[in-house]
Amino acid sequence: MDDRGGSFVAVRRISQGLERGNNTCHSTSAEAVAGSAAWLGRGLSCVCAQRREGDARPSFDLTPVQEECLQRLQSRIDVPYDSSVLDHQEALKTLWNAAFPEEELHGLISEQWKEMGWQGKDPSTDFRGGGFISLENLLFFARNFPKSFQDLLQKREGDRSVWEYPFAVAGVNITFMLIQMLDLEAVKPRALVGATFLKFLAENDSAFDLLYCITFKLMDHEWLTMRASYMDFNAVMKSTRRQLERELLSEDITRLEDLPSYTLLTR
């Protein structure tokens, strides 16, 4: 999914809103059209860069706590979404109930899922590359920042495009982008932004989920600022990544809640 082509569904907005009755480590009517996009995908006192022979990029040594936290997060990243697993089915149903509490879901395969921004009637096909953790990220967002979650789902804020990004598929893209940006599948991070993130992860086991929420809200902010439409999705994701990297590497950031973009979130 890194640089390979992927596809997403752009949602044409007919109206401004859908009408529908949150540890430490130890719709009104809408119509869909197929669009294409590539899947995007402070110095630390406790880490030091080491350049390996034949490797143009440095790697960063980790504390035992950081290493343990990274391994735990990697274990989550390695879990694919499996529609035959009962826990995965229940998590998907829980996401529906969080998104549309007043609308009964007719089944795990249903045209209703398109209302959330999945490409088709079976959302399990959209988890490729994002895995089960992308569903966990969406659930964390819905539970911890329900107002921001609903604002993005229903596109309540700002002067929206006629052709909007699909909420759920955008969420999977954000999970994948963060994994790549932070180099979370490597044994050790090979970029300063990844090493920086591991400090936050060592202090807060939910750091990845929290950063996901911040990034989703930042992405929507960039979308509105750029007056983007669905063909601009890649450009918006790249702009979001650049801004997020700048914020993470700011010297005065000691926790994720200090990031300027955190203030975009509301509970």
Side-chain angles (χ1 to χ4, degrees), residues 13 16-18 20 146-160 220 224:
R13 296 189 53 73
Q16 285 301 308
L18 300 172
R20 302 220 169 261
K147 184 179 186 305
S148 286
F149 179 89
Q150 288 292 334
D151 286 346
L152 297 186
L153 172 65
Q154 301 190 35
K155 305 295 191 296
R156 288 172 174 163
E157 297 179 336
D159 184 13
R160 312 303 307 197
D220 189 72
L224 292 173

Side-chain angles (χ1 to χ4, degrees), residues 204-217:
N204 180 358
D205 200 34
S206 298
F208 185 78
D209 303 272
L210 178 56
L211 186 60
Y212 171 89
C213 301
I214 295 169
T215 305
F216 209 147
K217 190 65 176 174

